[in-house]
Amino acid sequence: MNYRPQRSIRWKWLEEKGINVQADPYQLAYMQSLWAVPQDVQAVFCEGKAGTGKTALAVLAGVYEVERGTYDRLIYVRNAIPVRDMGHLPGSVGDKEKPYMQPLNDALDLVQPGLFDKWTRPDVAKLAAITSAYTRGVTWKKAFIIVDEAQSFDLTELQTIYTRISDCCKIVTTGSLRQNDNYRMKKIGGLFPLEIYKEHFREKQVAIHELVNNYRGWFANHADDVQDTIERLRKEDRVC
């Protein structure tokens, strides 16, 4: 795939939203995979630290493709772990889940403030924001699908999501193994479920990317490296 700077309409559209990936070869390669047709790249896996743009770029790519009619809907799937203990809270399922969809909302606001509410209206229905608890039994067709925070999905959850997808869909999986919220998750053969699926799909119509530049600043970047300090302290027998 050619990763030279792009000048097509879609890249100009991205720059109009204040996003310039041309200076970051990792982001540029990621965007080209996101915008590739499913026949060339149906699935994209992207790992990276917090603040590298994994989710925002995926959402922007999906919005553009839905707006131009390539796909009918943008489907955003978030892990259900943060909301599993929220049954006692008032409101509908959507009311309970909405705070955990903030990364999606923030990215949509880059396109147009209030786009989340507009696209989730029943008369528009261009966006579905759900947790993994509500994916079993559905079939997705002609949709741009983003599976966010995938490092916290267990193998069964990922399998349930991936087996919902028709060939006319685009599927993007993002995550960071440094930020796993599922403390009960066990490795299988030394690998986390996300790593297993990356290996399972390797050499298919799949692109695997890693973003390395944190654009939030040095503090957030250094905070994400705490595991390196833990490993050093373990070697020094200062932590268990």
Side-chain angles (χ1 to χ4, degrees), residues 42-45 155 158-159 161-163 165 167 171 173 193-208:
Q42 182 170 15
V44 180
F45 288 87
L155 192 65
L158 287 177
Q159 185 178 23
I161 294 167
Y162 292 152
T163 54
I165 296 167
D167 286 346
I171 174 73
T173 304
L194 176 58
E195 295 176 298
I196 290 173
Y197 258 111
K198 286 167 65 175
E199 287 299 318
H200 180 66
F201 280 117
R202 195 176 293 275
E203 298 181 1
K204 302 295 182 182
Q205 294 165 244
V206 170
I208 298 175

Side-chain angles (χ1 to χ4, degrees), residues 47-51 54 78 81 149-153 175-183 192 214 216 220-221 223-227:
E47 189 176 344
K49 295 180 180 181
K54 304 181 299 295
R78 184 78 183 264
I81 287 176
E149 303 292 348
Q151 73 278 358
S152 298
F153 287 78
S176 171
L177 293 175
R178 293 169 177 261
Q179 297 187 337
N180 188 347
D181 297 322
N182 190 348
Y183 302 112
F192 286 108
N214 183 318
R216 288 177 181 158
N221 186 51
D224 213 20
D225 289 334
V226 68
Q227 290 298 328

Side-chain angles (χ1 to χ4, degrees), residues 1-2 7 11 14 19 22 27 29 37 41 66-67 73 80 103 107 113 118 125 130 146 156 166 170 176 191 232 234:
M1 191 174 291
N2 184 359
R7 293 291 181 263
W11 297 95
L14 196 63
I19 306 297
Q22 307 288 350
Q27 286 191 341
V37 296
V41 179
V66 171
E67 284 187 336
R73 286 196 301 165
K118 178 182 178 181
I130 60 176
I146 300 171
T156 299
S166 304
K170 185 87 169 188
S176 171
L191 298 175
R232 175 175 58 81
R234 280 176 177 165

